[in-house]
């Protein structure tokens, strides 16, 4: 299958390892991946902070970039949710933007949905000999409804021991500009999440969104908790021949 | 007397103090986690919850769409049943109406059933200014009133207080308001409840006027409905001679049949019970039984404006169950006072700025008091998409360009300019990468708060985009 990658601006700039892992994983599974270079950002930050017009422009760019793609992968739960749930609300009812985004929305997938629902695999032949705990992220949990998919994928990884995260459904407190506008509450939420992560005794915290991982990971680092944060893609791309670097 | 919310600081300022208060954080965490687990269990028992939720939403939406019609019907039914209907456009008018009605009875005291609408309009303060004393009879409201405090939760106004604090308040204040707390009062919940019961009984038996709110007003029959747990409401609704109910216009529902849905969803969502202990209904007056005079004050106070906003109007579906407060991670860490208004938590963050407008600093800060995690939407029994309304209100605040938003707007526009062109993004990425060794672990300025408690990630040498390009070039060379 030919899969168009929407790597997202944060992954592109700060977490290129995630994008490389996605490419390695999908090619290993025998698929063709393309990266339409005119892509930039989904506009989630603009939209969520109240700058709809700026978000609209980025949505127009997104539509142009991905219009002819059949399957679009966004290795970020919140960006996938932005395109799928919020884009159709960006344009006025009946507008061109609304029609275009509504048509595009069902073709956008998070990594776990792409693998489980579209490609029909849970065992991707990965090897990752570490104890891992999974944070289900708000957008992955409530907007995308990922459910058991990420766990199903992790359970098939050889060498991996999956441990349960207490209070997993709680928000980590990142929330984009929320972390800047309400720093005290955000930090309090982050600290509680980090404490729960540390309590699992896992070596690695996994999620499908690098923004949440950046927030929780930054808090864990500051606390010198010794837990690494790793995107699901990097765990699934990891093999005995080419193990992920922690 | 009870304090007021006027002159409250913005949400982030109030939240800073609250998050630093370990006792408060502990009280709130314990209370919210207990009730949210109970709610989840009570909701989980019903296999038609999704349908009930959709039905509740539909009834409320339909009523709001034709509110003028149902309000007229309600007025006619109440009048036909021997009650009197008064229309109040704003808080001042509502307070004036109630004050005049109480004055006409010749009484200087009244008992109150817990009511959000009367808190919203500051009725107790207005009555006090007119020389009339209002006694709160809900246990938690009583604690708030005696403690000269402000409510911090829709359902449990004294959620921020623990047993020891309540005992102290009772011992210190009860005597000044009526029957004193017994000597040797302990902080055992039963002992506290008994002290309140004795204190309140005297009020119920001697007071001739009562003020209530209502959870629902049935247009078809003119019936008002109150759901409660303690029975104090029922005392207020049946013992006095005159009953005055102050009710927001959005509480209207068309028929008794519609009530069926909410009698299932409200108790499960609010207290985690299958059914609330007391459901009282009253229709006009019945000669020789209960209050012989009944007044319904229908309150607008900004609701018509909310109704006019297509996205925001869903907030008027709210049945004040408080499930969104109990699940909200922000509320859990700040408590209700940080929201600076009668309506705290996620619903308060959208309702207050809508009712009062986003012109004030506090009101403008409320739509940002959320990480948009969506837990509030998930639990709301009438499916109010609170995150959607929050974003909608943020747009209003941002486009007004008030304090701080001019700089933000410029930053957002700059970001959009970079992001609206992949070449510009590529250049910006390279600029960041080449300066990577210069980026400090802690940032200065407004975003510095981020690095106070978190480390920044390392900036990679190469963006994904650059890596992809090099790879593609290599592939082309090879082929
Ligand atoms: S918004 Fe929904 S969950 Fe919150 S109090 Fe109102 S009805 Fe309950």
């Amino acid at each position: 299958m030919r899969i168009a990658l929407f790597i997202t601006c944060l992954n592109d700039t700060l977490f290129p390892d995630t994008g490389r892992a996605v490419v390695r994983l999908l090619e290993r599974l025998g698929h063709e991946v393309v990266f339409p270079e005119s892509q930039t950002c989904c506009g989630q930050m603009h939209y969520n902070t109240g700058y709809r017009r700026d978000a609209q422009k980025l949505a127009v760019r997104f539509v142009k970039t991905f219009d002819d793609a059949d399957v679009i992968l966004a290795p970020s739960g919140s960006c996938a949710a932005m395109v799928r749930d919020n884009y159709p609300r960006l344009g006025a009812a009946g507008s061109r933007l609304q029609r275009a985004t509504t048509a595009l929305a069902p073709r956008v997938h998070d990594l776990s949905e792409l693998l489980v629902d579209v490609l029909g695999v849970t065992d991707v032949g990965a090897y990752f000999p570490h104890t891992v705990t999974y944070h289900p992220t708000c957008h992955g949990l409530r907007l995308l409804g990922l459910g058991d998919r990420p766990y199903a994928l992790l359970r098939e990884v050889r060498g991996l021991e999956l441990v349960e995260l207490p209070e997993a459904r709680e928000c980590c407190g990142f929330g984009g500009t929320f972390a800047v506008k309400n720093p005290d509450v955000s930090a309090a939420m982050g600290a509680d999440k980090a404490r729960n992560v540390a309590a699992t005794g896992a070596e690695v915290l996994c999620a499908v969104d690098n923004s949440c991982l950046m927030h929780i990971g930054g808090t864990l680092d500051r606390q010198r908790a010794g837990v690494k944060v790793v995107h699901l893609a990097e765990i699934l791309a990891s093999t005995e021949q080419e193990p992920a670097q922690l | 007397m009870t304090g007021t919310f006027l002159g409250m600081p913005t949400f982030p300022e109030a939240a800073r103090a609250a998050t630093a208060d370990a006792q408060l954080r502990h009280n709130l965490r314990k209370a919210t986690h207990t009730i949210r687990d109970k709610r989840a269990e009570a909701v989980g028992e019903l296999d038609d919850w999704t349908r009930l939720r959709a039905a509740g939403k539909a009834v409320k939406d339909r009523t709001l769409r034709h509110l003028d019609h149902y309000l007229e019907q309600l007025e006619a039914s109440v009048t036909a049943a021997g009650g009197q209907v008064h229309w109040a456009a704003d808080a001042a008018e509502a307070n004036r109406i109630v004050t005049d009605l109480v004055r006409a009875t010749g009484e200087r005291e009244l008992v109150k059933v817990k009511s959000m609408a009367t808190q919203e309009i500051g009725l107790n303060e207005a009555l006090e200014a007119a020389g009339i004393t209002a006694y709160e009879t809900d246990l938690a409201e009583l604690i708030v009133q005696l403690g000269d405090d402000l409510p911090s939760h829709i359902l449990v106004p004294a959620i921020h207080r623990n047993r020891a604090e309540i005992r102290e308040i009772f011992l210190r204040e009860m005597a000044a308001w009526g029957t004193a707390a017994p000597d040797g009062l302990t902080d055992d919940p039963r002992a506290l409840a008994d002290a309140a019961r004795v204190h309140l009984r005297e009020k119920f038996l001697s007071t001739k006027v009562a003020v209530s709110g209502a959870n629902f007003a049935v247009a078809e029959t003119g019936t008002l409905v109150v759901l409660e747990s303690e029975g104090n409401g029922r005392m207020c609704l049946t013992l006095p001679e005159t009953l005055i109910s102050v009710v927001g216009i959005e509480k209207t529902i068309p028929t008794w049949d519609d009530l069926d849905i909410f009698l299932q969803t409200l108790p499960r969502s609010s207290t985690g019970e299958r059914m609330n202990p007391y459901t009282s209904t009253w229709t006009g007056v019945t000669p020789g039984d209960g209050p012989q005079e009944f007044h319904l004050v229908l309150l607008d106070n900004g609701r018509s404006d909310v109704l006019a906003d297509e996205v925001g109007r869903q907030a008027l579906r709210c049945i004040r169950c408080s499930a969104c407060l109990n699940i909200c991670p922000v509320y859990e860490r700040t408590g209700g006072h940080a929201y600076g208004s009668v309506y705290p938590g996620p619903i308060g963050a959208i309702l207050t700025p809508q009712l009062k407008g986003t012109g004030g600093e506090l009101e403008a800060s409320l739509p940002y008091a959320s990480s948009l995690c969506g837990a509030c939407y998930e639990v709301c029994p009438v499916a109010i998409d609170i995150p959607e309304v929050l974003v909608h209100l943020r747009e209003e605040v941002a486009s007004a360009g008030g304090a701080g938003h001019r700089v933000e707007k410029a930053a957002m526009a700059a970001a959009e300019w970079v992001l609206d062109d992949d070449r510009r993004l590529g250049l910006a990425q390279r600029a960041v990468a080449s300066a990577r060794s210069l980026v400090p672990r802690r940032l200065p300025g407004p975003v510095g708060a981020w690095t106070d408690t978190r480390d920044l990630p390392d900036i990679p040498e190469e963006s994904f985009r650059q890596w992809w390009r090099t790879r593609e070039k290599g592939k082309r060379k090879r082929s």
Side-chain angles (χ1 to χ4, degrees):
Chain A
M1 192 177 285
R2 187 183 162 93
I3 297 157
L5 303 180
F6 172 48
I7 287 300
T8 82
C9 63
L10 187 79
N11 283 332
D12 183 6
T13 311
L14 287 181
F15 304 100
D17 286 348
T18 298
R20 286 198 283 264
V22 164
V23 174
R24 202 160 65 237
L25 169 67
L26 293 177
E27 289 182 347
R28 187 175 82 214
L29 295 173
H31 302 284
E32 183 193 353
V33 291
V34 290
F35 174 77
E37 289 197 35
S38 61
Q39 67 178 272
T40 56
C41 163
C42 66
Q44 185 190 177
M45 177 182 74
H46 291 89
Y47 177 76
N48 282 351
T49 316
Y51 296 84
R52 170 184 290 256
R53 276 182 178 285
D54 295 321
Q56 272 171 347
K57 284 196 210 153
L58 293 171
V60 169
R61 161 171 287 271
F62 187 96
V63 169
K64 270 196 210 139
T65 304
F66 288 100
D67 221 8
D68 56 1
D70 295 326
V71 176
I72 304 158
L73 165 69
S76 154
S78 60
C79 301
M82 174 69 195
V83 176
R84 217 157 71 187
D85 285 7
N86 293 331
Y87 269 18
R89 311 188 208 200
L90 268 180
S95 64
R96 244 181 47 206
L97 181 60
Q98 200 214 33
R99 272 180 289 141
T101 50
T102 308
L104 190 82
R107 290 183 261 148
V108 177
H109 307 277
D110 147 81
L111 180 64
S112 68
E113 290 171 328
L114 178 82
L115 292 169
V116 177
D117 300 354
V118 182
L119 306 179
V121 283
T122 45
D123 184 352
V124 295
Y127 171 75
F128 190 76
H130 303 280
T131 38
V132 175
T133 193
Y134 179 78
H135 169 55
T137 79
C138 300
H139 289 171
L141 192 65
R142 302 195 181 89
L143 287 179
L144 297 178
L146 296 182
D148 188 54
R149 295 179 188 86
Y151 300 94
L153 290 159
L154 287 169
R155 280 194 294 264
E156 297 293 338
V157 175
R158 268 167 288 286
L160 186 150
E161 190 199 335
L162 190 58
V163 291
E164 203 188 318
L165 177 64
E167 299 179 6
R169 297 171 63 91
E170 294 271 315
C171 174
C172 71
F174 175 61
T177 46
F178 173 72
V180 177
K181 288 185 180 279
N182 281 286
D184 299 288
V185 188
S186 169
M189 290 162 69
D192 287 346
K193 181 58 76 178
R195 188 172 32 77
N196 278 324
V197 170
T200 63
E203 295 164 74
V204 171
L205 171 69
C206 169
V208 292
D209 214 318
N210 275 325
S211 51
C212 308
L213 285 177
M214 177 173 75
H215 172 73
I216 307 168
T219 308
L220 286 164
D221 281 353
R222 181 59 61 85
Q223 298 173 351
R224 312 227 176 286
V227 184
K228 293 272 173 265
V229 297
V230 179
H231 192 283
L232 177 69
E234 291 166 56
I235 293 181
L236 299 183
S238 176
T239 56
E240 250 158 296
Q241 295 75 36
E242 263 188 286
Q245 300 299 317
L246 276 193
Chain B
M1 67 144 278
T2 310
T4 81
F5 282 107
L6 282 178
M8 285 290 289
T10 61
F11 185 82
E13 287 171 66
R16 183 171 317 129
T19 50
D21 183 340
Q23 180 67 58
L24 177 71
R25 290 263 303 272
H26 175 80
N27 293 357
L28 286 166
R29 183 184 158 84
K30 203 164 163 233
T32 55
H33 281 249
T34 309
I35 186 77
R36 73 170 74 155
D37 293 347
K38 230 178 131 192
R39 184 213 80 100
E41 207 175 296
V43 165
E45 281 179 0
L46 293 181
D47 47 19
D48 60 347
W49 181 258
T50 322
R51 274 172 43 217
L52 278 171
R53 186 176 187 243
K57 171 181 189 277
V59 167
K60 282 276 182 177
D61 275 346
R62 178 161 46 87
T63 319
L64 289 170
R65 259 200 315 278
H66 308 288
L67 192 59
D68 47 348
H69 163 76
Y70 289 114
L71 284 171
E72 277 172 26
Q73 193 188 3
L74 177 67
E75 181 180 32
S77 315
V78 171
T79 312
Q84 280 186 52
V85 176
H86 312 260
W87 299 86
D90 56 20
E93 192 175 6
N95 286 332
R96 200 164 52 237
I97 294 169
V98 178
T99 309
D100 289 347
L101 288 170
V102 180
R103 278 216 179 106
T105 65
E107 296 295 318
R108 321 285 319 235
E109 288 182 345
L110 55 86
V111 284
K112 281 184 74 199
V113 197
K114 176 178 170 295
S115 136
M116 303 298 299
T118 59
Q119 275 169 24
E120 179 188 318
I121 60 175
L123 179 65
N124 289 11
E125 290 80 5
L127 289 170
E128 193 186 58
I132 299 163
T133 312
Y135 298 108
E136 294 290 349
T137 66
D138 172 86
L139 178 55
E141 279 299 342
L142 176 71
I143 295 164
V144 168
Q145 185 173 44
L146 292 175
D148 195 13
D149 196 357
L150 290 166
S152 65
H153 189 276
I154 295 180
L155 195 80
V156 206
I159 195 170
H160 57 292
R161 297 288 198 185
N162 61 29
R163 291 193 270 150
E165 291 172 309
I166 294 167
R167 172 180 170 269
E168 261 174 53
I169 292 170
F170 279 10
L171 283 173
R172 203 175 57 226
E173 303 291 340
M174 264 184 176
W177 288 78
T179 309
D183 292 334
L185 177 68
T186 67
D187 67 1
D188 173 48
R190 218 201 143 84
L192 293 172
D194 280 343
R197 182 171 297 139
V198 173
H199 177 83
L200 288 170
R201 177 112 339 183
E202 173 208 328
K203 297 276 177 289
F204 289 132
L205 296 175
S206 62
T207 313
K208 299 197 167 63
V209 181
V211 169
S212 86
N215 293 99
F216 304 98
V218 184
E220 182 185 42
T221 55
T223 306
L224 291 152
V225 186
V226 156
L227 277 63
E228 45 136 2
S229 300
E230 298 164 9
N232 295 339
R234 179 160 297 176
M235 302 280 253
C236 291
L237 296 166
T238 49
L239 289 174
E241 291 166 11
T242 303
L243 173 60
I244 306 166
S245 302
V246 183
V247 180
I249 52 174
E250 84 284 12
K251 298 277 159 146
T252 314
I253 55 167
T255 67
W256 274 81
D257 268 356
D258 300 319
L259 202 54
D260 163 31
I261 302 161
F262 303 112
L263 291 184
Q264 295 182 70
T265 53
L266 180 51
R268 285 181 200 256
S269 302
S270 59
T271 49
E273 291 165 304
R274 294 178 186 141
M275 198 181 169
N276 49 290
Y278 295 88
T279 301
S280 303
T281 67
W282 64 104
T283 312
V285 293
T286 310
D289 184 15
Q292 293 302 294
E293 219 185 290
F294 169 60
H295 299 273
L296 170 61
V297 181
L298 285 167
L299 179 71
D300 188 317
N301 204 30
R303 286 160 175 77
S304 298
D305 295 338
V306 183
L307 200 56
D309 180 334
E310 270 179 50
V311 180
R313 102 166 37 131
Q314 54 185 312
L316 295 181
R317 290 206 296 259
C318 177
I319 55 172
R320 313 274 189 267
C321 69
S322 69
C324 59
L325 278 64
N326 300 328
I327 202 79
C328 177
V330 176
Y331 178 89
E332 182 193 328
R333 286 164 183 89
T334 62
H337 291 161
Y339 294 80
S341 91
V342 175
Y343 304 104
I347 182 62
I350 61 170
L351 199 56
T352 304
Q354 289 202 88
L355 289 174
K356 294 194 181 170
T358 50
E361 272 193 51
L362 167 71
E363 288 77 16
S365 74
L366 287 176
Y368 298 94
S370 164
S371 63
L372 302 180
C373 78
C376 50
Y377 178 29
E378 191 176 47
V379 295
C380 178
V382 284
I384 301 172
D385 191 341
I386 295 177
E388 180 186 31
V389 184
L390 286 168
V391 169
H392 174 67
L393 292 170
R394 288 176 186 189
E395 221 177 292
E396 194 179 306
V397 173
S399 64
H405 289 277
R406 269 181 291 276
V407 181
E408 181 182 281
K409 193 174 191 165
M412 286 289 175
E416 195 274 323
W417 183 79
V418 169
L419 294 168
D420 198 27
D421 185 315
D422 49 294
R423 275 164 315 173
R424 282 192 287 243
L425 174 60
L427 286 173
Q429 283 170 336
R430 256 176 266 166
V432 171
S434 63
R436 52 200 288 269
S437 59
L438 303 175
V439 175
R441 279 277 165 207
R442 285 173 199 233
L443 297 175
V447 283
W450 165 266
T451 48
D452 283 349
T453 54
R454 288 153 283 221
D455 283 345
L456 285 172
D458 294 323
I459 295 168
E461 251 171 278
E462 187 184 47
S463 67
F464 176 84
R465 189 176 295 274
Q466 283 167 284
W467 173 80
W468 177 269
R469 213 170 260 173
T470 317
R471 192 179 99 118
E472 290 301 289
K473 260 192 214 143
K475 267 202 222 157
R476 273 199 296 276
K477 260 192 215 139
R478 279 196 300 276
S479 63

